[in-house]
Amino acid sequence: MANPSPRRTLPLLMSPHKSGRSALTCEFRCGNACAHDVSNTSDNAYFGDVVASALSRRGVLRAGALGALAAGAGAAGVAGAVPAAAEPAPEARSGGRGNHGGRGGLRFAAVAPNREDRIVVPEGYTSAAVVRWGDPVLPDAPAFDFENQTAEAQAKQFGYNCDFVTFFPMGGHRGLLWVNHEYSDEALMFRGYAGGTAATEEQLRIGLAAHGGSVVEIERVGRSGQWRLVTRGRRRYNRRITAQTPMKLTGPAAGHDLLKTAADPTGTTVLGMLNNCAGGTTPWGTVLSGEENFNQYFVLGSGAPEAEKAALKRYGIDTASTTPGGRRFDRVEERFDLSRHPHEANRFGWIVEIDPFDPDSTPVKRTALGRLAHEGATTTLARDGRVVAYMGDDSRFEYVYKFVSKKRYIPGFDRHNRTLLDEGTLYVARLTGDSPAAEIDGTGKLPADGRFDGSGEWIPLVTGNVSHVPGMSAAEVLIHTRLAADKVGATKMDRPEDIERNPVTGGVYLALTNNSNRTPAQVDEANPRPANKHGHVLEIVEQRNDAASTAFAWSLPLVCGDPNDASTYFAGFDKTKVSPISCPDNVAFDRDGNLWISTDGNALGSNDGLFVMPVAGRERGYLRQFLTVPIGAETCGPMVTQDQRSVFVAVQHPGEVNGASPEAPASHWPDGGTSQPRPSVAVAWHTRGEKIGS
Ligand code: FEO
Ligand code: CA
Ligand code: CA
Ligand code: CA
């Protein structure tokens, strides 16, 4: 029976989440993950066991890392130290000349922390929404009408809660924007929403249609850095992908019994993608989109076969409750009921490749990249031209992965390149600190050697059809990747999210958002604070600066929080000059190699924002806030265009604060007045057309 109070039907208001994230976000984004037990109950050490072999290896790795540093490719990278095969992301391929190696040269007055219901940018800049939830994507889409939503309309309109954003210039003043739609927040989308059990079937279908992704054509406004949605003409590339779009499963696990269902006895086709969070692009111009908290969409895991429950549980799926909760999409599509279709959940949690330039193409779930709560996948090239994809598994105490293709990328050979992500080696990271454990005391105080740092190794899990994990076949390793990684002693991290390689220095940067569950006994040099509220950033320098290496050096250039908090660290930069930062989530680089960081769940009491920090030179660690997003929103994207005149951000879940509803919206962004908040992609630019940040 429906609860009379819509608010009270949602367990969200008691969320134990310790960041600034609202209870609504916890409920709809990740199914209250923080309220549940940690899924990783493996006894992996919080650093892989510091066994003798690792200790002896450390000296070798350290020497290798120092070699890389001496070559100017590492933490203190020198201008011009471009890796042999620097990342040719589509956006980065179109022109551009010299750079500063992430050395800074950024000149703008940092935006102060605030609680304003607008995008706040530095003096001299302005911003505008580019495309909003409900805006027509397909030419025959109706105009958005909050009060009269339909699933049919939503499937043609811009979806909800935009996350990953990437931009493909098309020459002239046009370009394509790809945007992930991570999740629906029915409590803000519908008046009087009373929870999944009481939702109308049309509301459920609208929710499914609000997921997925969008391709939209955009155009430059005059000669400025502003871009706007193209609203006329054929818009031949525009596309909506939803939770029902037919997709293929390819790679070594495709066709495995664990992927077969009544609707798909071949285990090779699946409808839709779910909870697509961050992502990346490939050198051949496609999008890689990560299915993250897919577990929350499935109900009645209690009715799944006993033999499969351990794996379901390892992915955060409830296998005990006999009372379905959450959105209840099973009410309109029974495949979400695991008691009837226990393998359906195995068909989510993949990296999905989408060709934004072919609206008729079938998106592909690449099983060779493993099944996780994929934050995203970002690519680079190894020295020999093989494709490397870095990936985080965004849950507390989960792991960091990379995939190295078997074959090399061949520029222009599209048919070949599109097979590269189907065969290769999947690795998981094990990190070791180089300071005595006693010096990592949980206060954030740097150890005697002055750095949280050490060495690491990429442990192979599977190569093509050959498993490296005892007791598991190659397909099982790919479908139950978390279980496989548990067995090889991977290092438990503080929510590893977006990870990207610096196209200038070759360093790899990983956002570790937070982990309120880490206990004092569980701190290690790579995750040095217990009850980690504010998160940190990890820098990886691959041996020989080669992305295909199996050894690396690492350090923490950024330990987040209020700079007045003694436990924070900004790469040794003067802390009186930096901006407070909390919960780093997405990372991106501009053409100069500066690190851009967006945040999710500011635990310092102000709105989330976008920050930029040089990673080399005298200004390494000089972190400044470039913009803040409206009340209740998280900053996603971000994307600095190659001409560095525009920065796109996804403003996800504006107004998603405790107690908010359509009757009492907490935000009116972007339309103002008394309007309902609409998740939207925005662009910021300098009013005189100057380079962003300069
Ligand atoms: Fe969807 Fe990990 O943030
Ligand atoms: Ca150290
Ligand atoms: Ca994210
Ligand atoms: Ca990114």
Side-chain angles (χ1 to χ4, degrees):
M1 198 181 88
N3 187 306
S5 160
R7 293 296 90 192
R8 261 184 285 135
T9 59
L10 306 173
L12 36 114
L13 300 181
M14 285 101 48
S15 163
H17 202 287
K18 301 208 175 47
S19 81
R21 186 187 266 187
S22 88
L24 277 177
T25 311
C26 293
E27 166 73 5
F28 289 97
R29 153 81 64 72
C30 44
N32 277 320
C34 296
H36 302 144
D37 293 340
V38 165
S39 305
N40 189 352
T41 55
S42 74
D43 53 8
N44 281 353
Y46 289 86
F47 258 140
D49 297 327
V50 186
V51 293
S53 66
L55 283 169
S56 64
R57 203 176 291 119
R58 180 187 299 168
V60 178
L61 293 174
R62 183 97 179 127
L66 290 172
L69 290 171
V78 172
V82 182
E87 177 176 57
E91 164 63 8
R93 281 181 291 160
S94 54
R97 39 191 188 82
N99 56 64
H100 304 90
R103 280 170 166 270
L106 297 165
R107 279 179 286 281
F108 68 91
V111 167
N114 64 74
R115 295 285 292 160
E116 295 196 38
D117 189 30
R118 64 186 180 101
I119 293 179
V120 181
V121 288
E123 195 181 333
Y125 292 82
T126 190
S127 72
V130 179
V131 53
R132 303 162 296 179
W133 169 46
D135 279 341
V137 170
L138 302 186
D140 63 341
F144 181 60
D145 180 352
F146 181 85
E147 306 295 347
N148 296 288
Q149 299 175 54
T150 67
E152 187 187 359
Q154 177 64 90
K156 297 176 178 180
Q157 298 165 332
F158 198 66
Y160 206 76
N161 273 344
C162 34
D163 200 303
F164 176 61
V165 176
T166 194
F167 173 66
F168 297 88
M170 296 200 296
H173 291 295
R174 291 271 172 119
L176 289 185
L177 211 55
W178 162 269
V179 184
N180 282 0
H181 299 300
E182 185 175 13
Y183 69 100
S184 50
D185 184 337
E186 282 76 359
L188 296 185
M189 292 167 69
F190 307 118
R191 290 189 190 278
Y193 176 73
T197 304
T200 67
E201 292 194 359
E202 186 65 6
Q203 286 174 334
L204 298 175
R205 291 194 182 96
I206 293 167
L208 284 164
H211 282 72
S214 291
V215 180
V216 291
E217 200 171 321
I218 57 173
E219 61 188 357
R220 190 185 288 281
V221 178
R223 311 183 76 155
S224 74
Q226 183 181 7
W227 293 80
R228 69 182 165 212
L229 192 62
V230 175
T231 55
R232 312 160 307 283
R234 194 166 150 228
R235 290 161 280 170
R236 61 185 292 240
Y237 300 111
N238 281 23
R239 181 177 191 183
R240 266 311 314 284
I241 285 170
T242 71
Q244 282 132 340
T245 302
M247 306 194 173
K248 280 188 291 202
L249 286 152
T250 66
H256 189 274
D257 284 349
L258 284 168
L259 298 180
K260 292 176 182 168
T261 63
D264 172 28
T266 67
T268 57
T269 61
V270 55
L271 293 181
M273 57 186 201
L274 290 170
N275 213 262
N276 290 69
C277 188
T281 53
T282 63
W284 48 96
T286 59
V287 171
L288 299 179
S289 179
E291 293 185 299
E292 194 189 15
N293 297 301
F294 63 90
N295 55 302
Q296 61 177 302
Y297 299 92
F298 296 92
V299 298
L300 292 175
S302 53
E306 285 304 317
E308 298 185 18
K309 283 188 180 170
L312 291 171
K313 217 172 155 190
R314 185 64 184 83
Y315 283 88
I317 290 171
D318 181 354
T319 55
S321 172
T322 52
T323 312
R327 290 181 184 75
R328 296 299 312 276
F329 287 154
D330 61 296
R331 290 180 48 218
V332 289
E333 293 194 23
E334 69 168 46
R335 63 185 172 127
F336 293 107
D337 178 347
L338 295 175
S339 70
R340 293 167 158 205
H341 304 284
H343 293 167
E344 186 67 8
N346 294 339
R347 294 140 63 80
F348 295 84
W350 300 102
I351 292 295
V352 188
E353 183 172 5
I354 299 129
D355 183 350
F357 290 99
D358 181 359
D360 298 321
S361 59
T362 302
V364 183
K365 297 194 178 189
R366 300 285 185 194
T367 67
L369 277 64
R371 178 167 164 266
L372 336 160
H374 273 294
E375 176 76 8
T378 58
T379 65
T380 184
L381 294 181
R383 284 192 179 273
D384 63 7
R386 284 178 290 162
V387 178
V388 179
Y390 290 97
M391 302 174 284
D393 183 352
D394 177 17
S395 292
R396 295 163 293 165
F397 300 116
E398 291 302 339
Y399 309 128
V400 189
Y401 298 83
K402 81 173 175 185
F403 169 85
V404 181
S405 67
K406 179 182 179 190
K407 296 183 186 147
R408 298 172 190 193
Y409 166 66
I410 304 175
F413 192 179
D414 208 46
R415 190 161 49 84
H416 163 81
N417 294 332
R418 285 176 195 240
T419 67
L420 294 177
L421 300 181
D422 279 340
E423 191 176 9
T425 300
L426 181 65
Y427 298 90
V428 68
R430 176 157 60 203
L431 287 79
T432 306
D434 69 358
S435 293
E439 292 183 9
I440 312 302
D441 64 6
T443 65
K445 185 176 158 224
L446 294 172
D449 70 355
R451 287 173 21 130
F452 294 118
D453 64 344
S455 58
E457 60 188 307
W458 294 105
I459 306 167
L461 295 171
V462 56
T463 301
N465 287 309
V466 178
S467 169
H468 303 300
V469 182
M472 295 178 82
S473 70
E476 286 167 347
V477 169
L478 295 170
I479 295 166
H480 297 150
T481 307
R482 284 181 171 179
L483 289 169
D486 291 344
K487 292 188 175 208
V488 300
T491 300
K492 294 176 168 179
M493 306 295 287
D494 285 350
R495 285 188 58 197
E497 297 222 27
D498 200 6
I499 174 169
E500 284 204 29
R501 192 175 194 208
N502 187 325
V504 176
T505 67
V508 177
Y509 293 79
L510 167 68
L512 292 147
T513 296
N514 56 43
N515 184 351
S516 50
N517 281 47
R518 190 174 289 271
T519 67
Q522 292 171 336
V523 297
D524 57 40
E525 198 164 347
N527 302 277
R529 292 184 298 187
N532 181 6
K533 278 194 298 190
H534 300 301
H536 51 283
V537 172
L538 180 97
E539 178 181 70
I540 288 172
V541 179
E542 300 273 26
Q543 198 166 45
R544 300 181 306 280
N545 205 21
D546 183 355
S549 290
T550 55
F552 59 89
W554 63 266
S555 68
L556 303 186
L558 191 58
V559 182
C560 300
D562 182 332
N564 294 315
D565 169 352
S567 79
T568 62
Y569 177 67
F570 293 76
F573 197 81
D574 180 354
K575 290 213 281 183
T576 65
K577 295 195 168 78
V578 304
S579 297
I581 180 171
S582 177
C583 302
D585 182 341
N586 295 123
V587 294
F589 293 94
D590 60 30
R591 200 184 65 189
D592 290 338
N594 295 303
L595 174 63
W596 293 75
I597 305 169
S598 61
T599 65
D600 169 19
N602 189 314
L604 292 167
S606 57
N607 289 349
D608 274 317
L610 176 64
F611 301 75
V612 60
M613 184 180 98
V615 295
R618 282 197 307 275
E619 293 187 341
R620 175 173 159 89
Y622 185 12
L623 179 102
R624 272 168 291 174
Q625 183 158 249
F626 180 76
L627 64 74
T628 52
V629 292
I631 296 280
E634 135 187 21
T635 318
C636 303
M639 168 88 208
V640 183
T641 56
Q642 179 66 17
D643 67 7
Q644 294 187 294
R645 290 174 61 207
S646 314
V647 54
F648 292 104
V649 288
V651 178
Q652 192 183 107
H653 57 75
E656 196 175 64
V657 302
N658 296 348
S661 69
E663 291 70 34
S667 168
H668 302 290
W669 189 87
D671 297 338
T674 58
S675 64
Q676 297 294 333
R678 296 167 74 179
S680 306
V681 174
V683 62
W685 69 97
H686 193 280
T687 51
R688 289 197 307 277
E690 290 174 12
K691 189 168 124 178
I692 296 290
S694 70

